Short mmCIF file of all heavy atoms in Angstrom, two decimals:
data_model
loop_
_atom_site.label_atom_id
_atom_site.label_comp_id
_atom_site.label_asym_id
_atom_site.label_seq_id
_atom_site.Cartn_x
_atom_site.Cartn_y
_atom_site.Cartn_z
N MET A 21 19.34 5.16 -11.40
CA MET A 21 18.89 4.68 -10.11
C MET A 21 18.91 5.84 -9.11
O MET A 21 19.86 6.60 -9.06
CB MET A 21 19.79 3.54 -9.63
CG MET A 21 19.42 3.05 -8.25
SD MET A 21 20.66 1.94 -7.58
CE MET A 21 19.96 0.38 -7.99
N ILE A 22 17.87 5.91 -8.28
CA ILE A 22 17.79 6.97 -7.27
C ILE A 22 18.41 6.48 -5.97
O ILE A 22 18.04 5.43 -5.45
CB ILE A 22 16.33 7.38 -7.02
CG1 ILE A 22 15.70 7.92 -8.30
CG2 ILE A 22 16.25 8.39 -5.89
CD1 ILE A 22 14.22 8.19 -8.20
N GLU A 23 19.40 7.24 -5.47
CA GLU A 23 20.04 6.89 -4.20
C GLU A 23 19.27 7.56 -3.07
O GLU A 23 18.88 8.71 -3.15
CB GLU A 23 21.49 7.39 -4.19
CG GLU A 23 22.38 6.71 -5.21
CD GLU A 23 22.69 5.27 -4.84
OE1 GLU A 23 22.66 4.97 -3.64
OE2 GLU A 23 22.95 4.47 -5.74
N THR A 24 19.05 6.84 -1.99
CA THR A 24 18.41 7.43 -0.82
C THR A 24 19.22 7.07 0.42
O THR A 24 20.00 6.13 0.42
CB THR A 24 16.98 6.91 -0.63
OG1 THR A 24 17.05 5.54 -0.24
CG2 THR A 24 16.17 7.07 -1.89
N ASN A 25 19.02 7.84 1.47
CA ASN A 25 19.67 7.56 2.74
C ASN A 25 18.69 6.96 3.74
O ASN A 25 18.94 6.97 4.93
CB ASN A 25 20.29 8.83 3.32
CG ASN A 25 21.48 9.29 2.48
OD1 ASN A 25 22.26 8.47 2.03
ND2 ASN A 25 21.59 10.58 2.28
N VAL A 26 17.56 6.50 3.24
CA VAL A 26 16.56 5.94 4.13
C VAL A 26 17.09 4.63 4.72
O VAL A 26 17.51 3.74 4.00
CB VAL A 26 15.25 5.68 3.37
CG1 VAL A 26 14.25 4.98 4.29
CG2 VAL A 26 14.69 6.97 2.83
N LYS A 27 17.07 4.56 6.04
CA LYS A 27 17.52 3.35 6.73
C LYS A 27 16.29 2.50 7.04
O LYS A 27 15.35 2.98 7.66
CB LYS A 27 18.27 3.71 8.01
CG LYS A 27 19.55 4.47 7.75
CD LYS A 27 20.44 4.55 8.97
CE LYS A 27 19.82 5.38 10.08
NZ LYS A 27 20.73 5.53 11.24
N ILE A 28 16.35 1.26 6.61
CA ILE A 28 15.22 0.36 6.81
C ILE A 28 15.57 -0.64 7.90
O ILE A 28 16.56 -1.39 7.78
CB ILE A 28 14.88 -0.41 5.52
CG1 ILE A 28 14.67 0.55 4.35
CG2 ILE A 28 13.67 -1.31 5.74
CD1 ILE A 28 13.49 1.47 4.49
N PRO A 29 14.78 -0.69 8.98
CA PRO A 29 15.07 -1.67 10.03
C PRO A 29 14.45 -3.03 9.71
O PRO A 29 13.55 -3.15 8.89
CB PRO A 29 14.40 -1.04 11.25
CG PRO A 29 13.24 -0.29 10.69
CD PRO A 29 13.68 0.20 9.33
N TYR A 30 14.97 -4.04 10.36
CA TYR A 30 14.35 -5.36 10.33
C TYR A 30 14.48 -5.99 11.72
O TYR A 30 15.29 -5.55 12.53
CB TYR A 30 14.98 -6.27 9.27
CG TYR A 30 16.38 -6.73 9.57
CD1 TYR A 30 16.62 -7.97 10.15
CD2 TYR A 30 17.48 -5.91 9.28
CE1 TYR A 30 17.91 -8.38 10.44
CE2 TYR A 30 18.76 -6.32 9.58
CZ TYR A 30 18.98 -7.56 10.16
OH TYR A 30 20.25 -7.97 10.47
N VAL A 31 13.68 -7.00 11.96
CA VAL A 31 13.69 -7.71 13.24
C VAL A 31 14.17 -9.13 12.98
O VAL A 31 13.64 -9.82 12.11
CB VAL A 31 12.29 -7.73 13.87
CG1 VAL A 31 12.31 -8.51 15.19
CG2 VAL A 31 11.78 -6.31 14.09
N ASN A 32 15.17 -9.56 13.73
CA ASN A 32 15.68 -10.91 13.49
C ASN A 32 15.01 -11.95 14.41
O ASN A 32 14.10 -11.62 15.18
CB ASN A 32 17.22 -10.94 13.57
CG ASN A 32 17.74 -10.79 14.98
OD1 ASN A 32 17.04 -11.01 15.95
ND2 ASN A 32 19.01 -10.41 15.09
N GLU A 33 15.48 -13.19 14.33
CA GLU A 33 14.83 -14.29 15.01
C GLU A 33 15.01 -14.27 16.52
O GLU A 33 14.43 -15.10 17.23
CB GLU A 33 15.33 -15.63 14.43
CG GLU A 33 16.79 -15.95 14.72
CD GLU A 33 17.77 -15.17 13.82
OE1 GLU A 33 17.31 -14.45 12.91
OE2 GLU A 33 18.98 -15.28 14.06
N ASN A 34 15.80 -13.34 17.03
CA ASN A 34 16.01 -13.28 18.48
C ASN A 34 14.83 -12.67 19.24
O ASN A 34 14.80 -12.70 20.46
CB ASN A 34 17.26 -12.46 18.79
CG ASN A 34 18.53 -13.14 18.32
OD1 ASN A 34 18.57 -14.35 18.20
ND2 ASN A 34 19.56 -12.35 18.04
N CYS A 35 13.88 -12.11 18.50
CA CYS A 35 12.74 -11.43 19.13
C CYS A 35 12.04 -12.33 20.14
O CYS A 35 11.73 -13.49 19.85
CB CYS A 35 11.75 -11.00 18.05
SG CYS A 35 10.23 -10.27 18.71
N ILE A 36 11.80 -11.78 21.33
CA ILE A 36 11.09 -12.52 22.38
C ILE A 36 9.71 -11.90 22.64
O ILE A 36 9.16 -12.02 23.73
CB ILE A 36 11.91 -12.58 23.68
CG1 ILE A 36 12.24 -11.16 24.16
CG2 ILE A 36 13.17 -13.43 23.50
CD1 ILE A 36 12.83 -11.12 25.58
N TRP A 37 9.19 -11.18 21.64
CA TRP A 37 7.86 -10.58 21.64
C TRP A 37 7.54 -9.83 22.94
O TRP A 37 6.45 -9.98 23.52
CB TRP A 37 6.79 -11.60 21.27
CG TRP A 37 6.73 -12.86 22.10
CD1 TRP A 37 5.97 -13.06 23.22
CD2 TRP A 37 7.39 -14.10 21.86
NE1 TRP A 37 6.13 -14.31 23.69
CE2 TRP A 37 7.00 -14.98 22.89
CE3 TRP A 37 8.29 -14.57 20.90
CZ2 TRP A 37 7.48 -16.29 22.96
CZ3 TRP A 37 8.76 -15.87 20.98
CH2 TRP A 37 8.35 -16.70 22.00
N CYS A 38 8.47 -9.02 23.39
CA CYS A 38 8.22 -8.24 24.61
C CYS A 38 7.34 -7.02 24.32
O CYS A 38 6.81 -6.42 25.24
CB CYS A 38 9.54 -7.80 25.23
SG CYS A 38 10.36 -6.47 24.32
N SER A 39 7.27 -6.63 23.07
CA SER A 39 6.47 -5.51 22.55
C SER A 39 7.02 -4.13 22.89
O SER A 39 6.33 -3.13 22.66
CB SER A 39 4.99 -5.62 22.97
OG SER A 39 4.81 -5.22 24.30
N ALA A 40 8.22 -4.05 23.39
CA ALA A 40 8.80 -2.74 23.69
C ALA A 40 8.88 -1.87 22.44
O ALA A 40 8.55 -0.67 22.48
CB ALA A 40 10.18 -2.90 24.31
N CYS A 41 9.30 -2.46 21.34
CA CYS A 41 9.45 -1.66 20.11
C CYS A 41 8.10 -1.13 19.62
O CYS A 41 8.02 -0.01 19.12
CB CYS A 41 10.14 -2.47 19.01
SG CYS A 41 9.29 -4.00 18.58
N VAL A 42 7.06 -1.92 19.81
CA VAL A 42 5.72 -1.48 19.39
C VAL A 42 5.25 -0.33 20.28
O VAL A 42 4.66 0.63 19.80
CB VAL A 42 4.73 -2.66 19.44
CG1 VAL A 42 3.34 -2.21 19.03
CG2 VAL A 42 5.22 -3.79 18.55
N ALA A 43 5.54 -0.43 21.57
CA ALA A 43 5.15 0.63 22.49
C ALA A 43 5.89 1.93 22.17
O ALA A 43 5.32 3.01 22.26
CB ALA A 43 5.42 0.20 23.92
N ILE A 44 7.14 1.81 21.79
CA ILE A 44 7.96 3.00 21.51
C ILE A 44 7.67 3.57 20.14
O ILE A 44 7.59 4.78 19.96
CB ILE A 44 9.45 2.65 21.64
CG1 ILE A 44 9.78 2.33 23.11
CG2 ILE A 44 10.35 3.75 21.10
CD1 ILE A 44 11.14 1.71 23.32
N CYS A 45 7.51 2.71 19.16
CA CYS A 45 7.37 3.18 17.77
C CYS A 45 6.36 2.30 17.02
O CYS A 45 6.72 1.56 16.10
CB CYS A 45 8.74 3.16 17.09
SG CYS A 45 8.77 3.97 15.50
N GLY A 46 5.12 2.42 17.41
CA GLY A 46 4.04 1.62 16.80
C GLY A 46 3.78 2.00 15.36
O GLY A 46 3.11 1.25 14.64
N GLU A 47 4.30 3.15 14.91
CA GLU A 47 4.13 3.53 13.51
C GLU A 47 4.97 2.64 12.60
O GLU A 47 4.68 2.51 11.41
CB GLU A 47 4.53 4.99 13.29
CG GLU A 47 3.64 6.00 13.97
CD GLU A 47 4.02 6.23 15.43
OE1 GLU A 47 4.99 5.59 15.91
OE2 GLU A 47 3.34 7.02 16.09
N VAL A 48 6.01 2.05 13.15
CA VAL A 48 6.94 1.25 12.35
C VAL A 48 6.86 -0.24 12.69
O VAL A 48 6.90 -1.09 11.80
CB VAL A 48 8.39 1.75 12.55
CG1 VAL A 48 9.40 0.81 11.90
CG2 VAL A 48 8.52 3.16 11.98
N PHE A 49 6.73 -0.56 13.98
CA PHE A 49 6.77 -1.96 14.42
C PHE A 49 5.38 -2.44 14.82
O PHE A 49 4.57 -1.68 15.34
CB PHE A 49 7.72 -2.12 15.61
CG PHE A 49 9.13 -1.75 15.31
CD1 PHE A 49 9.62 -0.50 15.64
CD2 PHE A 49 9.98 -2.65 14.66
CE1 PHE A 49 10.93 -0.14 15.35
CE2 PHE A 49 11.29 -2.30 14.36
CZ PHE A 49 11.77 -1.04 14.72
N ASP A 50 5.15 -3.72 14.61
CA ASP A 50 3.90 -4.35 15.05
C ASP A 50 4.22 -5.80 15.39
O ASP A 50 5.32 -6.30 15.07
CB ASP A 50 2.85 -4.27 13.94
CG ASP A 50 1.44 -4.41 14.49
OD1 ASP A 50 1.28 -4.68 15.71
OD2 ASP A 50 0.49 -4.26 13.70
N LEU A 51 3.29 -6.48 16.04
CA LEU A 51 3.46 -7.90 16.35
C LEU A 51 2.57 -8.71 15.42
O LEU A 51 1.42 -8.35 15.17
CB LEU A 51 3.09 -8.18 17.81
CG LEU A 51 3.94 -7.49 18.88
CD1 LEU A 51 3.42 -7.83 20.27
CD2 LEU A 51 5.40 -7.89 18.75
N ASP A 52 3.10 -9.83 14.93
CA ASP A 52 2.30 -10.67 14.03
C ASP A 52 1.44 -11.65 14.83
O ASP A 52 1.37 -11.56 16.07
CB ASP A 52 3.21 -11.38 13.01
CG ASP A 52 4.14 -12.40 13.65
OD1 ASP A 52 3.93 -12.79 14.81
OD2 ASP A 52 5.11 -12.80 12.96
N ASP A 53 0.80 -12.58 14.15
CA ASP A 53 -0.11 -13.52 14.81
C ASP A 53 0.60 -14.40 15.82
O ASP A 53 -0.03 -14.98 16.71
CB ASP A 53 -0.81 -14.40 13.77
CG ASP A 53 -1.78 -13.59 12.92
OD1 ASP A 53 -2.15 -12.47 13.34
OD2 ASP A 53 -2.16 -14.07 11.84
N GLU A 54 1.91 -14.55 15.66
CA GLU A 54 2.69 -15.36 16.60
C GLU A 54 3.44 -14.47 17.58
O GLU A 54 4.36 -14.91 18.24
CB GLU A 54 3.67 -16.25 15.82
CG GLU A 54 2.93 -17.22 14.91
CD GLU A 54 3.87 -18.09 14.10
OE1 GLU A 54 5.04 -17.68 13.90
OE2 GLU A 54 3.44 -19.17 13.70
N TRP A 55 3.03 -13.20 17.62
CA TRP A 55 3.58 -12.23 18.57
C TRP A 55 5.06 -11.96 18.34
O TRP A 55 5.79 -11.63 19.28
CB TRP A 55 3.32 -12.66 20.02
CG TRP A 55 1.89 -12.48 20.38
CD1 TRP A 55 0.85 -13.30 20.03
CD2 TRP A 55 1.31 -11.41 21.13
NE1 TRP A 55 -0.33 -12.80 20.51
CE2 TRP A 55 -0.07 -11.64 21.20
CE3 TRP A 55 1.83 -10.29 21.77
CZ2 TRP A 55 -0.94 -10.78 21.87
CZ3 TRP A 55 0.96 -9.43 22.44
CH2 TRP A 55 -0.41 -9.70 22.48
N LYS A 56 5.52 -12.11 17.13
CA LYS A 56 6.88 -11.70 16.80
C LYS A 56 6.80 -10.33 16.15
O LYS A 56 5.89 -10.05 15.36
CB LYS A 56 7.56 -12.71 15.87
CG LYS A 56 7.76 -14.06 16.54
CD LYS A 56 8.93 -14.80 16.00
CE LYS A 56 10.18 -14.38 16.65
NZ LYS A 56 11.33 -15.19 16.54
N ALA A 57 7.75 -9.50 16.49
CA ALA A 57 7.73 -8.15 15.94
C ALA A 57 8.13 -8.17 14.46
O ALA A 57 8.92 -9.01 14.03
CB ALA A 57 8.69 -7.26 16.72
N PHE A 58 7.55 -7.25 13.71
CA PHE A 58 7.94 -7.07 12.31
C PHE A 58 7.85 -5.59 11.97
O PHE A 58 7.23 -4.80 12.71
CB PHE A 58 7.04 -7.90 11.38
CG PHE A 58 5.62 -7.44 11.31
CD1 PHE A 58 5.19 -6.59 10.31
CD2 PHE A 58 4.69 -7.87 12.26
CE1 PHE A 58 3.86 -6.17 10.24
CE2 PHE A 58 3.37 -7.46 12.20
CZ PHE A 58 2.95 -6.61 11.19
N VAL A 59 8.49 -5.23 10.88
CA VAL A 59 8.47 -3.85 10.39
C VAL A 59 7.33 -3.72 9.39
O VAL A 59 7.23 -4.50 8.44
CB VAL A 59 9.81 -3.48 9.74
CG1 VAL A 59 9.76 -2.09 9.12
CG2 VAL A 59 10.93 -3.57 10.78
N LYS A 60 6.47 -2.76 9.62
CA LYS A 60 5.31 -2.57 8.75
C LYS A 60 5.73 -2.15 7.34
O LYS A 60 6.72 -1.43 7.16
CB LYS A 60 4.41 -1.47 9.33
CG LYS A 60 3.76 -1.82 10.65
CD LYS A 60 2.93 -0.63 11.12
CE LYS A 60 2.19 -0.93 12.41
NZ LYS A 60 1.40 0.25 12.86
N ASP A 61 4.97 -2.60 6.36
CA ASP A 61 5.18 -2.16 4.98
C ASP A 61 4.99 -0.65 4.90
O ASP A 61 4.10 -0.10 5.55
CB ASP A 61 4.19 -2.84 4.04
CG ASP A 61 4.54 -4.29 3.80
OD1 ASP A 61 5.70 -4.66 4.03
OD2 ASP A 61 3.64 -5.04 3.39
N GLY A 62 5.81 -0.02 4.10
CA GLY A 62 5.65 1.41 3.88
C GLY A 62 5.97 2.25 5.10
O GLY A 62 5.43 3.33 5.28
N MET A 63 6.83 1.72 5.96
CA MET A 63 7.17 2.46 7.18
C MET A 63 7.70 3.84 6.85
O MET A 63 8.29 4.07 5.80
CB MET A 63 8.21 1.69 7.99
CG MET A 63 9.46 1.34 7.22
SD MET A 63 10.94 1.48 8.21
CE MET A 63 11.44 3.13 7.84
N ASP A 64 7.45 4.76 7.76
CA ASP A 64 7.81 6.16 7.55
C ASP A 64 9.20 6.42 8.12
O ASP A 64 9.40 6.33 9.34
CB ASP A 64 6.77 7.03 8.24
CG ASP A 64 7.02 8.51 8.02
OD1 ASP A 64 8.06 8.87 7.44
OD2 ASP A 64 6.16 9.30 8.44
N SER A 65 10.16 6.73 7.27
CA SER A 65 11.54 6.93 7.73
C SER A 65 11.68 8.17 8.60
O SER A 65 12.70 8.36 9.26
CB SER A 65 12.48 7.03 6.54
OG SER A 65 12.15 8.14 5.76
N SER A 66 10.66 9.02 8.63
CA SER A 66 10.74 10.19 9.50
C SER A 66 10.67 9.80 10.97
O SER A 66 10.86 10.63 11.85
CB SER A 66 9.62 11.19 9.18
OG SER A 66 8.37 10.65 9.50
N ASN A 67 10.39 8.53 11.24
CA ASN A 67 10.37 8.04 12.61
C ASN A 67 11.74 7.52 13.05
O ASN A 67 11.83 6.76 14.01
CB ASN A 67 9.35 6.91 12.75
CG ASN A 67 7.93 7.40 12.61
OD1 ASN A 67 7.50 8.27 13.33
ND2 ASN A 67 7.20 6.84 11.66
N SER A 68 12.80 7.92 12.38
CA SER A 68 14.11 7.30 12.64
C SER A 68 14.57 7.47 14.08
O SER A 68 15.22 6.58 14.62
CB SER A 68 15.15 7.83 11.67
OG SER A 68 15.29 9.22 11.81
N ASP A 69 14.25 8.59 14.72
CA ASP A 69 14.65 8.75 16.12
C ASP A 69 13.96 7.73 17.00
O ASP A 69 14.55 7.16 17.92
CB ASP A 69 14.33 10.16 16.62
CG ASP A 69 15.29 11.20 16.06
OD1 ASP A 69 16.32 10.81 15.47
OD2 ASP A 69 15.01 12.39 16.21
N TRP A 70 12.68 7.48 16.70
CA TRP A 70 11.94 6.50 17.49
C TRP A 70 12.44 5.09 17.19
O TRP A 70 12.46 4.23 18.07
CB TRP A 70 10.44 6.59 17.18
CG TRP A 70 9.82 7.86 17.65
CD1 TRP A 70 9.38 8.91 16.90
CD2 TRP A 70 9.58 8.24 19.01
NE1 TRP A 70 8.89 9.90 17.70
CE2 TRP A 70 8.99 9.52 19.00
CE3 TRP A 70 9.81 7.61 20.24
CZ2 TRP A 70 8.63 10.18 20.17
CZ3 TRP A 70 9.44 8.27 21.40
CH2 TRP A 70 8.85 9.53 21.36
N ILE A 71 12.84 4.86 15.95
CA ILE A 71 13.40 3.54 15.61
C ILE A 71 14.69 3.32 16.39
O ILE A 71 14.92 2.24 16.95
CB ILE A 71 13.66 3.43 14.09
CG1 ILE A 71 12.35 3.51 13.32
CG2 ILE A 71 14.40 2.12 13.77
CD1 ILE A 71 12.52 3.67 11.81
N ASP A 72 15.52 4.35 16.47
CA ASP A 72 16.75 4.23 17.25
C ASP A 72 16.44 3.94 18.71
O ASP A 72 17.12 3.14 19.36
CB ASP A 72 17.58 5.51 17.13
CG ASP A 72 18.21 5.68 15.76
OD1 ASP A 72 18.27 4.69 15.00
OD2 ASP A 72 18.63 6.81 15.44
N ASP A 73 15.40 4.59 19.24
CA ASP A 73 15.02 4.33 20.63
C ASP A 73 14.56 2.89 20.80
O ASP A 73 14.86 2.24 21.81
CB ASP A 73 13.89 5.28 21.06
CG ASP A 73 14.39 6.71 21.28
OD1 ASP A 73 15.62 6.91 21.32
OD2 ASP A 73 13.54 7.61 21.42
N ALA A 74 13.81 2.37 19.81
CA ALA A 74 13.35 0.98 19.89
C ALA A 74 14.53 0.02 19.83
O ALA A 74 14.57 -0.98 20.56
CB ALA A 74 12.37 0.71 18.73
N ILE A 75 15.51 0.33 18.99
CA ILE A 75 16.71 -0.51 18.91
C ILE A 75 17.42 -0.54 20.26
O ILE A 75 17.83 -1.60 20.74
CB ILE A 75 17.66 0.02 17.81
CG1 ILE A 75 17.05 -0.25 16.44
CG2 ILE A 75 19.05 -0.60 17.94
CD1 ILE A 75 17.80 0.40 15.29
N MET A 76 17.52 0.63 20.90
CA MET A 76 18.20 0.69 22.20
C MET A 76 17.41 -0.06 23.27
O MET A 76 18.00 -0.63 24.20
CB MET A 76 18.35 2.16 22.61
CG MET A 76 19.15 2.97 21.63
SD MET A 76 20.85 3.15 22.07
CE MET A 76 20.75 4.14 23.52
N ALA A 77 16.09 -0.05 23.15
CA ALA A 77 15.24 -0.65 24.19
C ALA A 77 15.09 -2.15 24.04
O ALA A 77 14.74 -2.83 25.01
CB ALA A 77 13.86 0.00 24.16
N CYS A 78 15.34 -2.68 22.86
CA CYS A 78 15.14 -4.12 22.63
C CYS A 78 16.07 -4.91 23.56
O CYS A 78 17.29 -4.76 23.49
CB CYS A 78 15.40 -4.46 21.18
SG CYS A 78 15.19 -6.23 20.86
N PRO A 79 15.52 -5.78 24.39
CA PRO A 79 16.35 -6.48 25.38
C PRO A 79 17.23 -7.57 24.79
O PRO A 79 18.14 -8.05 25.47
CB PRO A 79 15.31 -7.08 26.34
CG PRO A 79 14.09 -7.24 25.51
CD PRO A 79 14.10 -6.10 24.54
N VAL A 80 16.97 -7.97 23.55
CA VAL A 80 17.74 -9.06 22.96
C VAL A 80 18.46 -8.64 21.68
O VAL A 80 18.89 -9.48 20.89
CB VAL A 80 16.85 -10.30 22.70
CG1 VAL A 80 16.41 -10.93 24.02
CG2 VAL A 80 15.66 -9.94 21.84
N ASN A 81 18.54 -7.33 21.45
CA ASN A 81 19.27 -6.81 20.30
C ASN A 81 18.77 -7.44 18.98
O ASN A 81 19.56 -7.86 18.14
CB ASN A 81 20.77 -7.08 20.48
CG ASN A 81 21.62 -6.26 19.55
OD1 ASN A 81 21.23 -5.17 19.13
ND2 ASN A 81 22.79 -6.78 19.20
N ALA A 82 17.45 -7.47 18.83
CA ALA A 82 16.86 -8.13 17.67
C ALA A 82 16.57 -7.18 16.51
O ALA A 82 16.20 -7.63 15.43
CB ALA A 82 15.55 -8.83 18.08
N ILE A 83 16.72 -5.88 16.72
CA ILE A 83 16.40 -4.91 15.67
C ILE A 83 17.69 -4.34 15.12
O ILE A 83 18.56 -3.88 15.86
CB ILE A 83 15.53 -3.77 16.22
CG1 ILE A 83 14.29 -4.31 16.93
CG2 ILE A 83 15.11 -2.84 15.07
CD1 ILE A 83 13.55 -3.24 17.72
N HIS A 84 17.80 -4.37 13.81
CA HIS A 84 18.98 -3.85 13.13
C HIS A 84 18.54 -3.12 11.87
O HIS A 84 17.41 -3.26 11.42
CB HIS A 84 19.92 -5.00 12.73
CG HIS A 84 20.41 -5.79 13.91
ND1 HIS A 84 21.54 -5.46 14.60
CD2 HIS A 84 19.87 -6.87 14.53
CE1 HIS A 84 21.71 -6.30 15.60
NE2 HIS A 84 20.72 -7.17 15.59
N TYR A 85 19.44 -2.34 11.33
CA TYR A 85 19.17 -1.71 10.04
C TYR A 85 19.72 -2.57 8.93
O TYR A 85 20.80 -3.16 9.04
CB TYR A 85 19.84 -0.33 9.96
CG TYR A 85 19.12 0.75 10.75
CD1 TYR A 85 19.70 1.33 11.86
CD2 TYR A 85 17.86 1.18 10.36
CE1 TYR A 85 19.04 2.32 12.58
CE2 TYR A 85 17.18 2.16 11.06
CZ TYR A 85 17.79 2.72 12.17
OH TYR A 85 17.13 3.70 12.88
N LYS A 86 18.95 -2.63 7.83
CA LYS A 86 19.46 -3.32 6.64
C LYS A 86 20.64 -2.53 6.12
O LYS A 86 20.65 -1.31 6.13
CB LYS A 86 18.37 -3.41 5.56
CG LYS A 86 17.21 -4.29 5.98
CD LYS A 86 16.16 -4.35 4.89
CE LYS A 86 15.00 -5.23 5.32
NZ LYS A 86 13.93 -5.26 4.31
N LYS A 87 21.64 -3.23 5.63
CA LYS A 87 22.85 -2.58 5.10
C LYS A 87 22.59 -2.09 3.69
O LYS A 87 21.94 -2.73 2.93
CB LYS A 87 24.02 -3.55 5.09
CG LYS A 87 24.32 -4.11 6.46
CD LYS A 87 25.23 -3.21 7.25
CE LYS A 87 25.55 -3.84 8.59
NZ LYS A 87 26.16 -2.97 9.52
S1 LIG B 103 11.74 -4.90 21.48
FE1 LIG B 103 12.94 -6.57 20.56
S2 LIG B 103 12.29 -8.42 21.63
FE2 LIG B 103 10.76 -6.84 22.08
S3 LIG B 103 9.15 -7.20 20.51
FE3 LIG B 103 10.57 -5.65 19.69
S4 LIG B 103 12.10 -6.80 18.48
FE4 LIG B 103 11.02 -8.27 19.81
#
């Protein structure tokens, strides 16, 4: 098995579709048809600084990293 240090974010049910994460890191986050944020398939982990910024900017603490 190959070990990696790639941190994968997810968005939980607290999302209030403010779109801040999309504005900050649109390469990773998008809004679905119901305007809830989600993490795009095949997201690029090289955006980790921007992901951290999106986590800090989320007003309801809805973005976390998978353990
Ligand atoms: S910043 Fe937070 S509340 Fe706003 S769209 Fe993203 S996950 Fe949802």
Side-chain angles (χ1 to χ4, degrees):
M21 177 191 263
I22 298 173
E23 295 288 334
T24 69
N25 291 320
V26 175
K27 295 193 294 184
I28 306 296
Y30 70 96
V31 178
N32 72 20
E33 67 282 355
N34 293 334
C35 175
I36 57 169
W37 55 92
C38 74
S39 78
C41 58
V42 179
I44 292 168
C45 191
E47 293 84 0
V48 171
F49 299 97
D50 201 354
L51 297 178
D52 66 16
D53 292 342
E54 298 179 337
W55 287 77
K56 295 209 84 163
F58 68 95
V59 175
K60 294 179 177 179
D61 285 340
M63 55 142 267
D64 183 354
S65 62
S66 67
N67 291 303
S68 60
D69 286 348
W70 292 108
I71 296 169
D72 289 344
D73 287 348
I75 289 172
M76 300 263 293
C78 179
V80 291
N81 196 28
I83 307 169
H84 299 271
Y85 284 113
K86 294 180 180 177
K87 302 274 183 193

